[in-house]
Amino acid sequence: MPDKNGFPHFMLKEIFEQPKALKDTIAPRISLQNGDVRIDSEVRISAQELRALRRINIVASGTSRHAGLAGQYMFQDLAHVFADVDYASEFEYRNAPIGPEELTIVITQSGETADTMAAQRLAHKKGSRSIAITNVVNSTVANEADGVLYTHAGPEISIASTKAFTAQMAVLFLLATYLAQVREQLSRDSSRRWIEELTALPEKTEATLRCAGTCRELADRYHRFGDFLFLGRAAHYPVAMDGALKLKEVSYVHAEGYPAGEAVHGPKAIIDEDLPVVMIATCDATDQGSKVRYEKSVSDMRAYKKQNARIIALASEGDKDVAQLADHTIFIPQAPELLAPILEMVPLQLFAYYVAVAKGLDVDRPRNLVKAVTQE
Ligand code: BG6
């Protein structure tokens, strides 16, 4: 059993290992000089087949599926390939009409989740090629896949997945950039810019970890609340989903992740002083789409404050408007729209961790959960 390296729990240790996990996952696969991603020997599917792809099916369970949701935005934005995301446990029932022109990407930290394994086997039976993204070398899903991209996050012991999740999102970004290069959807300059942004992630994650003290104070203040609503738009929506899942997994508090734009069609009815709202309101000032979404999130917060909502917001460094509106604001280093979710996850992981600690719970071995569900 690995050591906790002086941390009280594996979950906290693994949260703080994310800068290294990201560096080990990204650095061996990029060339800053040439501005390209080098994963052909891992993907093991020809450029010709990748060019002929009509769509991508991402299949996974739990936190890995949330990484898949973030990947969906990356594949569609960078490689202009339609991407769909399935619950692995629902894949066979959806009976998707897939074949050789559809790539199946299976994401699984353990590589042994039965539903994900069954989904990959079904995809193969239908003639679809597969790429596995996993953290465990020689796991069943890895050994049965056509191509394998390992997350080099190191062993993940805590049942709630943290460093594997952010490493999965980094691998998905590498794969989307690679696909865009092979399909000539990305100029050399843009590709180089994205690789520079990827290279800066480990250091930005290190900086984001400095919010641990604030997250602990917020957990002390909010750990008695019984329900939370996490809201995010576009690529930030999967972060809202996993922020809610982390809180459910380790602190047994009911929490829901929801697309912020959808919340007005129902959940808005339950927002009041008893339902803290966690709003992901970061903004990539160089991205027009991001600025438009940001404005919508700010106007949502204004509306929820009129309902006496308690708002915990994630904002980009230097943002004064959100800090004035929200009850509490956690600042995230500036990052491009598609990569900011990797940084935004850190405070949500820390908040869930400190709520569980404040409640005196077994953080690493939450009740009724296992690290990998190996039976269907
Ligand atoms: C659950 C774990 O059993 O399986 C989650 O508790 C995890 O943390 C989910 O996200 C999926 O596991 P995997 O290994 O397929 O990513």
Side-chain angles (χ1 to χ4, degrees), residues 61-64 107-113 116 156 158-161 168 245-246 249 369-373:
S61 303
T63 288
S64 295
I107 311 172
T108 164
Q109 188 283 132
S110 62
E112 303 297 343
T113 297
T116 308
E156 192 175 66
S158 182
I159 285 184
S161 184
Q168 284 164 353
L245 180 61
K246 289 282 106 46
E249 282 177 310
L369 293 180
V370 291
K371 187 64 186 165
V373 179

Side-chain angles (χ1 to χ4, degrees), residues 199-339:
T199 313
L201 269 183
E203 205 178 309
K204 287 183 181 178
T205 308
E206 196 73 60
T208 310
L209 284 163
R210 288 200 281 268
C211 73
T214 308
C215 295
R216 181 176 205 150
E217 283 160 22
L218 288 174
D220 290 343
R221 185 190 286 251
Y222 283 94
H223 72 276
R224 291 186 190 80
F225 280 81
D227 301 279
F228 286 77
L229 184 60
F230 289 71
L231 300 175
R233 276 187 166 79
H236 312 281
Y237 159 54
V239 176
M241 294 292 287
D242 208 63
L245 180 61
K246 289 282 106 46
L247 202 55
K248 281 183 269 203
E249 282 177 310
V250 298
S251 69
Y252 315 153
V253 170
H254 173 248
E256 195 170 359
Y258 225 78
E262 187 61 18
V264 291
H265 304 291
K268 191 169 184 281
I270 59 172
I271 295 177
D272 62 14
E273 60 278 8
D274 299 325
L275 179 77
V277 171
V278 178
M279 176 68 89
I280 301 162
T282 57
C283 181
D284 173 358
T286 67
D287 180 319
Q288 189 50 35
S290 178
K291 287 197 272 187
V292 171
R293 285 187 286 278
Y294 168 79
E295 291 307 332
K296 290 181 182 172
S297 300
V298 168
S299 86
D300 288 345
M301 284 194 278
R302 282 207 183 89
Y304 298 148
K305 285 311 291 176
K306 290 192 185 118
Q307 298 176 209
N308 301 323
R310 298 165 197 266
I311 299 179
I312 299 170
L314 301 189
S316 297
E317 260 160 17
D319 185 328
K320 295 194 176 53
D321 297 346
V322 169
Q324 258 157 21
L325 259 177
D327 298 83
H328 316 278
T329 302
I330 299 168
F331 291 101
I332 308 282
Q334 281 286 346
E337 188 69 2
L338 289 174
L339 292 173

Side-chain angles (χ1 to χ4, degrees), residues 18 48 58 89 127-128 184 204-205 212 226 238 288 291 343 371:
Q18 292 182 104
Q48 195 190 357
I58 303 172
S89 55
S128 171
E184 290 155 10
K204 287 183 181 178
T205 308
Q288 189 50 35
K291 287 197 272 187
L343 304 176
K371 187 64 186 165

Side-chain angles (χ1 to χ4, degrees), residues 22-247:
L22 288 167
K23 192 166 187 168
D24 294 349
T25 297
I26 295 166
R29 292 158 163 156
I30 55 169
S31 156
L32 252 178
Q33 201 184 355
N34 301 331
D36 59 11
V37 172
R38 302 185 166 172
I39 53 175
D40 5 20
S41 61
E42 300 169 85
V43 167
R44 302 196 300 248
I45 297 177
S46 72
Q48 195 190 357
E49 272 183 279
L50 294 175
R51 286 194 199 104
L53 275 185
R54 265 181 350 100
R55 60 184 285 152
I56 292 173
N57 272 312
I58 303 172
V59 188
S61 303
T63 288
S64 295
R65 191 184 76 89
H66 296 153
L69 288 172
Q72 184 179 32
Y73 294 93
M74 298 169 183
F75 288 113
Q76 297 187 163
D77 274 13
L78 294 175
H80 306 294
V81 184
F82 179 86
D84 216 345
V85 184
D86 266 301
Y87 288 97
S89 55
E90 285 292 316
F91 188 65
E92 63 178 307
Y93 309 134
R94 196 162 79 82
N95 196 16
I98 59 172
E101 292 178 337
E102 277 86 24
L103 174 67
T104 301
I105 297 179
V106 289
I107 311 172
T108 164
Q109 188 283 132
S110 62
E112 303 297 343
T113 297
D115 290 326
T116 308
M117 210 186 291
Q120 177 169 248
R121 289 174 181 163
L122 178 60
H124 284 164
K125 219 189 272 169
K126 292 185 174 207
S128 171
R129 307 272 262 153
S130 74
I131 293 177
I133 297 177
T134 182
N135 199 41
V136 179
V137 176
N138 280 329
S139 55
T140 308
V141 169
N143 291 344
E144 294 184 0
D146 296 297
V148 185
L149 290 163
Y150 289 111
T151 49
H152 299 303
E156 192 175 66
I157 308 300
S158 182
I159 285 184
S161 184
T162 54
K163 61 178 182 175
F165 178 49
T166 48
Q168 284 164 353
M169 288 196 276
V171 166
L172 285 159
F173 193 88
L174 285 164
L175 183 53
T177 308
Y178 174 74
L179 208 52
Q181 285 168 351
V182 168
R183 295 165 70 92
E184 290 155 10
Q185 294 287 349
L186 208 56
S187 72
R188 180 68 58 183
D189 285 353
S190 307
S191 180
R192 187 168 286 119
R193 191 172 74 79
W194 283 121
I195 286 171
E196 279 160 11
E197 293 287 357
L198 266 175
T199 313
L201 269 183
E203 205 178 309
K204 287 183 181 178
T205 308
E206 196 73 60
T208 310
L209 284 163
R210 288 200 281 268
C211 73
T214 308
C215 295
R216 181 176 205 150
E217 283 160 22
L218 288 174
D220 290 343
R221 185 190 286 251
Y222 283 94
H223 72 276
R224 291 186 190 80
F225 280 81
D227 301 279
F228 286 77
L229 184 60
F230 289 71
L231 300 175
R233 276 187 166 79
H236 312 281
Y237 159 54
V239 176
M241 294 292 287
D242 208 63
L245 180 61
K246 289 282 106 46
L247 202 55

